[in-house]
Amino acid sequence: MDFVVSDGPNLVSQAPTRLHWAPRDGAEAVRRALADEGIAHLAASAELNLDEAQRSPWSFVERLLGVRPELVERQTIRSLPDGRNFATGRMPAPFHTDSQCFFGVPPHVQLMLCVRAADEGGENRFVDGWHLAERLEQEEPALLERLFIRHRRIPFVFGDFFGPTISWRGESLIVTHAPRALPGDDLAPLVTAWLDRLPAFELRATAGEVLAIHNHRMLHGRR
């Protein structure tokens, strides 16, 4: 699924309005929200059928987005007493993308499905990576150029990403950023500082809700 930068994507700085997914036009509405705003917040409903998502994730993705996915990867996120990483721990997660690559391109879409909400805390946080590129073009073009041309080793739990921070891959403008940086990486703290300056928004999902995220564009984190 390709979302190409158009003349008019909205630079996102506030939480989107909840969508009510319906079989007739729900997939088109989700794709439109991803293309325009980078994120779709779907209200809980029987039509979403999260049981299908856990039992048959391929068919769930195809039904939700209206296209057959090339690859689906599922990961359970839950807090464990001795959890030491962002998938199992209670710690906050800094802004990042999920950048395990398939034929050189990170996942286009990330789906967050809330099976059970935390009693408190754990709010999802989002910031627009395309907004980062636009601000850098206006205020710090030299840094933007370095982010386009400097190949970096960017560490992720599933394996390191090698390439520029911002790049064109598969006809999509992709921003790649990890929650942690390697020692000696001088670009990572500059990117983090800029992300902290940009307008971000929070979403606290409730049980049964789904967040569809344009993973090439939106960086996500957690309180």
Side-chain angles (χ1 to χ4, degrees):
M1 174 173 290
D2 292 326
F3 299 109
V4 180
V5 179
S6 65
D7 292 334
N10 302 314
L11 297 177
V12 182
S13 60
Q14 60 185 8
T17 303
R18 281 183 177 85
L19 299 176
H20 293 273
W21 193 92
R24 181 173 59 84
D25 58 2
E28 180 182 353
V30 172
R31 295 198 308 270
R32 184 167 59 248
L34 288 170
D36 291 345
E37 300 184 353
I39 186 168
H41 186 182
L42 307 181
S45 72
E47 300 285 4
L48 283 179
N49 190 3
L50 297 198
D51 288 339
E52 178 194 7
Q54 299 182 73
R55 182 181 66 255
S56 181
W58 281 79
S59 65
F60 177 81
V61 172
E62 183 172 6
R63 188 168 61 87
L64 186 75
L65 300 177
V67 293
R68 179 68 174 171
E70 295 182 352
L71 182 68
V72 174
E73 179 180 319
R74 182 176 61 180
Q75 183 178 19
T76 300
I77 308 295
R78 61 176 178 269
S79 176
L80 300 175
D82 57 349
R84 298 183 180 181
N85 58 44
F86 299 128
T88 61
R90 297 168 55 90
M91 72 287 288
F95 286 125
H96 62 282
T97 55
D98 285 5
S99 296
Q100 57 270 49
C101 289
F102 179 65
F103 288 107
V105 180
H108 282 77
V109 180
Q110 181 185 55
L111 299 178
M112 294 184 178
L113 286 66
C114 183
V115 176
R116 184 173 66 86
D119 294 331
E120 61 179 354
E123 294 84 358
N124 292 297
R125 305 182 67 228
F126 298 94
V127 65
D128 190 340
W130 290 357
H131 193 180
L132 169 67
E134 183 185 72
R135 287 284 300 274
L136 289 174
E137 184 178 33
Q138 296 170 352
E139 302 178 34
E140 203 169 348
L143 176 56
L144 179 62
E145 182 178 9
R146 291 171 66 194
L147 295 178
F148 262 108
I149 65 176
R150 171 88 72 83
H151 279 62
R152 302 167 53 211
R153 176 184 171 193
I154 304 176
F156 291 96
V157 172
F158 45 74
D160 294 349
F161 175 93
F162 294 88
T165 309
I166 304 177
S167 60
W168 284 98
R169 293 169 183 254
E171 298 184 347
S172 185
L173 180 65
I174 298 174
V175 180
T176 302
H177 187 64
R180 296 191 175 115
L182 293 174
D185 186 342
D186 60 328
L187 286 180
L190 300 179
V191 174
T192 297
W194 263 100
L195 292 173
D196 290 340
R197 292 168 56 185
L198 294 178
F201 63 89
E202 294 186 3
L203 284 174
R204 181 173 175 80
T206 59
E209 292 189 333
V210 174
L211 301 178
I213 303 148
H214 189 331
N215 185 60
H216 292 176
R217 172 182 178 181
M218 302 299 293
L219 295 94
H220 62 277
R222 183 185 69 219
R223 287 205 177 279

